[in-house]
């Protein structure tokens, strides 16, 4: 069997380049990588089809085809479209239905083959998959990872600012693509039941899919790379410990070095709500007596002195954090330093686990969140937001601590609870991951859905997209914003 993974803005390479350096390079890439490699290990041939980039500032994406991470069954296929230079995903829409799709068709024509099935990722991949499904006469699945309607809600899009956000994010194109994908796919793959019932039921998707139709949805949780994120000691951990303590000795008061730590390691993004966790720490003296706060940054050696190389949004977040540190005189209690790549991050988690520390994610909303389960399997109890799939990750508090991300007092109390019960939550977190969240289990879930789809193939009608349809959708979206 050959399965095509459609991920236009994926930018996959064997070095996992830039994965922490752009909002397009989030957990979605980890997800696609791990499912693809797990399927490859099971003997399935996988093509990760993405965009070819020839750009001196984004090196590593210029080869047409390459074997992925040494797995001979998995290859990255790069199709040139939208020019040579790197483009954010919001700028790819004009090139998908012609250059990208035509390039994919030509690629398989030259090989005199085609995929047996397609699985699509994000809205742009879903749109492409719906069209290719007709061209190749094969079934496709849709994994949204996140949906545009929820992003609009979090950005507080309203009638007054709609046009501004539309120009920036192309929400109408994204949502029409999502509607097509969720309607035409054989199955919509979701990480949690909450994602199915809460996100796909949004008013912008009314009529596209019935959330109560069990045939249209399959819950398949993501997994942890247990070869990297493991609680078992690794040789590199001693070197990582030296690396971390260099920064801890720089930032943390000497008499506090051996306290427990609260670790924030999420991507710097306002929706991750670093500010909420820092404020919770700042306002709670009991928490400060128990632990220090660690914030993992990218490409910032010493944020206390300079963070001018961050982008505009990241600087705004850091400005807020530095203001809180100054206001509450948290100097000597907070350390900030860079971590480079997944292996060093996993090793850092193990080092902090030895210090009986905890992982904290206070995102305003988290669709699923790989980060908490990675930290859990590396030995850190997880304190997570109640908003989103993380509630299911820890089974509503059975395997971790759930907090209200907009309530600093609740966050602080949750952190104290996790710190005080470190051994119990560490054990429960490891048990939870081993029983439910491995990538092989995720890959098996995909394979079962695809095999079922191949056995129940039905003829699909062509879908014709017109600009009038998009204009009509924009009118409807604007009309709903006041409801």
């Amino acid at each position: 069997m050959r399965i095509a993974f459609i991920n236009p803005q994926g930018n996959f390479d064997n070095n996992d380049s830039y994965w922490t350096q752009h909002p397009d390079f989030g957990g979605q890439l980890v997800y696609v990588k791990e499912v693809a490699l797990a399927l490859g290990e099971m003997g399935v041939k996988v093509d990760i089809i993405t965009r070819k980039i020839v750009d001196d500032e984004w090196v590593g994406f210029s080869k047409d085809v390459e074997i992925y991470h040494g797995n001979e069954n998995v290859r990255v296929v790069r199709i040139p479209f939208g020019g040579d230079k790197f483009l954010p995903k919001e700028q790819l829409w004009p090139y998908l239905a012609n250059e990208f799709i035509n390039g994919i068709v030509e690629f398989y024509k030259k090989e005199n083959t085609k995929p047996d099935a397609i699985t699509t990722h994000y809205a742009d991949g879903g749109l492409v998959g719906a069209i290719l499904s007709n061209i190749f006469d094969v079934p496709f699945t849709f994994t949204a990872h996140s949906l545009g309607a929820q992003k609009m809600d979090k950005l507080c899009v309203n009638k007054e600012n709609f046009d501004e956000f539309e120009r920036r994010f192309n929400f109408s194109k994204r949502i029409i693509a999502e509607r097509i994908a969720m309607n035409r796919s054989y199955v919509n793959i979701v990480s949690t039941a909450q994602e199915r019932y809460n996100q796909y039921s949004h008013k912008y998707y009314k009529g596209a899919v019935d959330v109560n139709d069990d045939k249209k949805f399959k819950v398949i949780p993501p997994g942890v790379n247990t070869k990297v994120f493991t609680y078992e000691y690794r040789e590199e951990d001693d070197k990582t410990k030296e690396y971390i303590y260099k920064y801890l000795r720089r930032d943390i008061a000497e008499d506090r070095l051996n306290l427990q730590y609260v670790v924030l390691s999420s991507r710097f993004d306002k929706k991750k709500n670093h500010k909420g966790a820092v404020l919770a720490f700042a306002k709670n003296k009991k928490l400060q007596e128990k632990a220090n706060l660690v914030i993992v940054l990218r490409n910032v050696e010493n944020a206390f002195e300079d963070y001018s190389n961050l982008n505009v949004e990241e600087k705004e977040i850091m400005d807020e954090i530095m203001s809180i540190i100054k206001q509450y005189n948290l100097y000597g209690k907070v350390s900030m330093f860079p971590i480079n790549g997944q292996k060093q991050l996993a090793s850092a988690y193990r080092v902090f686990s030895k210090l009986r520390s905890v992982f904290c994610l206070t995102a305003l909303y988290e669709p699923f969140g790989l980060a908490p389960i990675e930290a859990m399997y590396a030995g850190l109890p997880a304190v997570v937001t109640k908003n989103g799939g993380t509630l299911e990750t820890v089974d509503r508090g059975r395997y971790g601590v759930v907090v209200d991300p907009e309530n600093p007092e609740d966050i602080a109390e949750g952190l104290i609870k996790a710190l005080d019960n470190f051994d119990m939550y560490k054990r429960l977190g490891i048990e939870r991951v081993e029983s439910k969240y491995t990538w092989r289990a995720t890959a098996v879930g995909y394979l079962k859905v695809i095999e079922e789809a191949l056995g129940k193939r039905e003829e699909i009608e062509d879908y014709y997209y017109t600009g009038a349809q998009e204009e009509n959708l924009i009118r409807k979206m604007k009309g709903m914003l006041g409801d």
Side-chain angles (χ1 to χ4, degrees), residues 412-427:
E413 289 176 357
L415 289 167
I416 291 169
K417 181 179 179 181
L419 291 163
D420 286 346
N421 296 278
F422 172 85
D423 292 319
M424 178 185 75
Y425 283 117
K426 177 182 177 179
R427 173 178 55 81

Side-chain angles (χ1 to χ4, degrees), residues 369-482:
L370 284 174
I373 58 176
E374 289 173 343
M376 286 159 65
Y377 203 64
L380 293 182
V383 178
V384 298
T385 175
K386 70 175 186 177
N387 297 334
T390 46
L391 195 61
E392 290 183 44
T393 302
V394 298
D395 195 12
R396 301 183 178 275
R398 285 186 61 194
Y399 297 94
V401 180
V402 178
V403 297
D404 181 349
E406 299 183 83
N407 184 335
E409 183 178 341
D410 190 50
I411 295 170
E413 289 176 357
L415 289 167
I416 291 169
K417 181 179 179 181
L419 291 163
D420 286 346
N421 296 278
F422 172 85
D423 292 319
M424 178 185 75
Y425 283 117
K426 177 182 177 179
R427 173 178 55 81
L428 289 172
I430 292 169
E431 289 177 0
R432 179 65 165 172
V433 173
E434 288 182 335
S435 66
K436 192 174 179 68
Y437 297 111
T438 67
W439 285 117
R440 183 174 179 83
T442 307
V444 168
Y446 266 80
L447 195 55
K448 286 181 178 178
V449 166
I450 289 168
E451 288 174 341
E452 179 185 280
L454 290 170
K456 296 181 179 179
R457 182 75 179 122
E458 297 176 356
E459 186 176 345
I460 294 178
E461 297 177 2
D462 286 331
Y463 183 95
Y464 295 98
Y465 167 82
T466 68
Q469 288 171 321
E470 184 176 345
E471 290 173 8
N472 188 41
L473 178 64
I474 290 174
R475 284 195 296 271
K476 287 183 178 179
M477 289 165 66
K478 283 185 175 180
M480 289 186 225
L481 285 171

Side-chain angles (χ1 to χ4, degrees), residues 34 67 86 138 179 228 253 255 294 327 369 376 399 401 423:
E34 298 298 346
I67 299 301
F86 172 82
V138 297
R179 288 178 61 89
V228 174
D255 61 344
V294 162
Q327 180 183 351
M376 286 159 65
Y399 297 94
V401 180
D423 292 319

Side-chain angles (χ1 to χ4, degrees), residues 240-454:
T240 303
K241 183 177 179 180
E242 291 179 15
Y243 174 84
I244 288 173
Y245 266 86
K246 175 182 70 173
Y247 294 107
L248 295 182
R249 292 190 185 98
R250 181 194 70 188
D251 298 337
I252 303 297
E254 187 175 354
D255 61 344
R256 295 180 59 87
L257 277 172
N258 293 324
L259 293 180
Q260 295 169 277
Y261 288 80
V262 173
V263 180
L264 308 181
S265 59
S266 303
R267 185 179 74 250
F268 248 46
D269 185 314
K270 286 190 176 181
K271 68 183 180 183
K272 298 296 183 182
N273 190 32
H274 289 73
K275 177 183 176 181
V278 176
L279 197 58
F281 180 80
K283 289 186 171 184
N284 195 292
K285 294 296 183 183
K286 184 178 179 181
L287 178 57
Q288 292 177 37
E289 290 171 3
K290 288 180 174 292
N292 298 306
L293 183 65
V294 162
I295 303 173
V296 174
L297 296 172
R298 65 169 181 83
N299 301 329
V300 178
E301 184 67 20
N302 189 345
F304 291 101
E305 293 183 354
D306 179 36
Y307 48 89
S308 59
N309 60 329
L310 296 178
N311 65 37
V312 174
E313 181 176 334
E314 291 169 336
K315 283 180 185 176
E316 290 176 359
I317 297 169
M318 275 305 308
D319 287 343
E320 291 176 336
I321 290 173
M322 294 304 296
S323 176
I324 295 170
I325 289 173
K326 183 177 181 180
Q327 180 183 351
Y328 290 88
N329 191 25
L330 298 179
Y331 299 103
K333 301 175 183 180
V334 179
S335 182
M336 295 181 278
F337 53 85
I339 291 289
N340 305 302
Q342 282 192 316
K343 288 186 178 180
Q344 191 180 41
L345 180 61
S347 183
Y349 286 161
R350 291 190 291 272
V351 170
F352 280 113
S353 180
K354 292 286 186 183
L355 293 169
R356 303 176 67 80
S357 304
V358 301
F359 170 89
C360 180
L361 175 64
T362 52
L364 298 174
Y365 184 85
E366 190 69 19
F368 177 77
L370 284 174
I373 58 176
E374 289 173 343
M376 286 159 65
Y377 203 64
L380 293 182
V383 178
V384 298
T385 175
K386 70 175 186 177
N387 297 334
T390 46
L391 195 61
E392 290 183 44
T393 302
V394 298
D395 195 12
R396 301 183 178 275
R398 285 186 61 194
Y399 297 94
V401 180
V402 178
V403 297
D404 181 349
E406 299 183 83
N407 184 335
E409 183 178 341
D410 190 50
I411 295 170
E413 289 176 357
L415 289 167
I416 291 169
K417 181 179 179 181
L419 291 163
D420 286 346
N421 296 278
F422 172 85
D423 292 319
M424 178 185 75
Y425 283 117
K426 177 182 177 179
R427 173 178 55 81
L428 289 172
I430 292 169
E431 289 177 0
R432 179 65 165 172
V433 173
E434 288 182 335
S435 66
K436 192 174 179 68
Y437 297 111
T438 67
W439 285 117
R440 183 174 179 83
T442 307
V444 168
Y446 266 80
L447 195 55
K448 286 181 178 178
V449 166
I450 289 168
E451 288 174 341
E452 179 185 280
L454 290 170

Side-chain angles (χ1 to χ4, degrees), residues 62-339:
S62 60
K63 288 184 180 179
D64 293 327
V65 180
E66 65 180 318
I67 299 301
Y68 195 45
H69 284 282
N71 189 319
E72 293 294 328
N73 286 326
V74 183
R75 59 183 181 170
V76 179
V77 177
R78 300 189 184 94
I79 306 297
F81 71 95
D84 290 337
K85 300 298 183 181
F86 172 82
L87 293 174
K89 63 178 182 288
E90 291 85 6
Q91 296 179 27
L92 297 180
W93 294 107
Y95 312 105
L96 296 176
N98 41 59
E99 293 182 30
F100 189 43
I101 286 174
N102 291 342
I104 295 171
V105 172
E106 284 301 311
F107 173 81
Y108 282 115
K109 187 182 290 184
K110 286 179 182 178
E111 290 201 335
N112 195 29
T113 185
K114 70 174 184 177
D116 297 292
I118 296 169
T119 181
T120 66
H121 300 269
Y122 193 74
D124 47 16
L127 176 64
V128 171
I131 299 170
L132 285 176
S133 176
N134 287 342
I135 294 172
F136 291 138
D137 191 29
V138 297
F140 83 100
T141 66
F142 176 50
T143 307
H145 296 280
S146 65
L147 290 171
Q150 276 70 38
K151 184 166 184 174
M152 290 181 68
D153 290 345
K154 292 303 173 184
L155 291 173
C156 299
V157 177
N158 55 49
K159 289 183 178 180
E160 285 69 36
N161 62 26
F162 179 89
D163 291 334
E164 175 190 345
F165 279 112
E166 172 68 9
R167 283 192 296 271
R168 181 178 174 188
F169 292 109
N170 283 313
F171 278 125
S172 64
K173 289 180 172 60
R174 177 173 176 177
I175 287 174
I176 207 169
E178 290 166 344
R179 288 178 61 89
I180 292 168
M182 65 180 66
N183 178 271
R184 306 310 296 168
S185 64
Y186 175 74
V187 160
N188 296 293
I189 293 175
V190 293
S191 297
T192 63
Q194 185 274 346
E195 181 183 349
R196 167 184 171 180
Y197 289 107
N198 289 14
Q199 295 187 44
Y200 282 74
S201 63
H202 194 283
K203 57 191 175 185
Y204 288 167
Y205 307 117
K206 185 177 180 181
V209 70
D210 179 3
V211 295
N212 296 308
D213 184 354
D214 291 337
K215 292 182 293 183
K216 287 292 290 184
F217 289 90
K218 180 68 175 178
V219 176
I220 305 176
V224 171
N225 183 344
T226 53
K227 297 175 183 176
V228 174
F229 290 93
T230 175
Y231 55 89
E232 296 173 343
Y233 171 81
R234 295 284 178 86
E235 287 187 12
E236 64 262 26
D237 293 353
D238 287 335
K239 186 176 180 180
T240 303
K241 183 177 179 180
E242 291 179 15
Y243 174 84
I244 288 173
Y245 266 86
K246 175 182 70 173
Y247 294 107
L248 295 182
R249 292 190 185 98
R250 181 194 70 188
D251 298 337
I252 303 297
E254 187 175 354
D255 61 344
R256 295 180 59 87
L257 277 172
N258 293 324
L259 293 180
Q260 295 169 277
Y261 288 80
V262 173
V263 180
L264 308 181
S265 59
S266 303
R267 185 179 74 250
F268 248 46
D269 185 314
K270 286 190 176 181
K271 68 183 180 183
K272 298 296 183 182
N273 190 32
H274 289 73
K275 177 183 176 181
V278 176
L279 197 58
F281 180 80
K283 289 186 171 184
N284 195 292
K285 294 296 183 183
K286 184 178 179 181
L287 178 57
Q288 292 177 37
E289 290 171 3
K290 288 180 174 292
N292 298 306
L293 183 65
V294 162
I295 303 173
V296 174
L297 296 172
R298 65 169 181 83
N299 301 329
V300 178
E301 184 67 20
N302 189 345
F304 291 101
E305 293 183 354
D306 179 36
Y307 48 89
S308 59
N309 60 329
L310 296 178
N311 65 37
V312 174
E313 181 176 334
E314 291 169 336
K315 283 180 185 176
E316 290 176 359
I317 297 169
M318 275 305 308
D319 287 343
E320 291 176 336
I321 290 173
M322 294 304 296
S323 176
I324 295 170
I325 289 173
K326 183 177 181 180
Q327 180 183 351
Y328 290 88
N329 191 25
L330 298 179
Y331 299 103
K333 301 175 183 180
V334 179
S335 182
M336 295 181 278
F337 53 85
I339 291 289

